[in-house]
Amino acid sequence: MSEFITKKPCIDICEFNKHDICKACGRTHEEKKAWKRLSDKDKHAIWTRVLASHGSGPTKPAKALRALYRKAQERAGRH
């Protein structure tokens, strides 16, 4: 079992704000490009930050992001 969630938080709604952060998943362009090369620990740290900033609002993308994280947690628990 992996202690880290490493699935990317992309919910297929890419739109970046003026700070170069995706409005849907909360990652920067650089984080999105580097995702495959990041360590499990770095990926999990991004998830933690993203859920704190994007996973707590009433918007549909935030709900989708929380659901994606829960599914990843369930899968990690089964391995």
Side-chain angles (χ1 to χ4, degrees):
M1 178 176 109
S2 173
E3 64 183 270
F4 299 113
I5 302 299
T6 59
K7 179 176 177 50
K8 63 184 176 180
C10 181
I11 56 174
D12 295 324
I13 305 173
C14 292
E15 185 179 332
F16 290 86
N17 66 20
K18 64 182 179 180
H19 302 290
D20 199 34
I21 296 174
C22 180
K23 293 178 182 179
C25 78
R27 293 181 297 164
T28 65
H29 270 294
E30 287 301 313
E31 289 170 338
K32 289 181 98 163
K33 286 193 298 187
W35 190 259
K36 289 181 180 180
R37 297 185 311 273
L38 295 173
S39 70
D40 289 354
K41 185 176 180 179
D42 288 340
K43 290 175 183 178
H44 193 77
I46 291 169
W47 259 113
T48 301
R49 187 198 76 232
V50 164
L51 287 173
S53 65
H54 286 71
S56 59
T59 64
K60 188 174 183 177
K63 288 179 184 177
L65 187 60
R66 286 192 303 272
L68 180 64
Y69 185 76
R70 279 193 299 276
K71 284 183 183 178
Q73 282 181 313
E74 290 169 5
R75 284 190 200 116
R78 285 185 270 185
H79 290 106

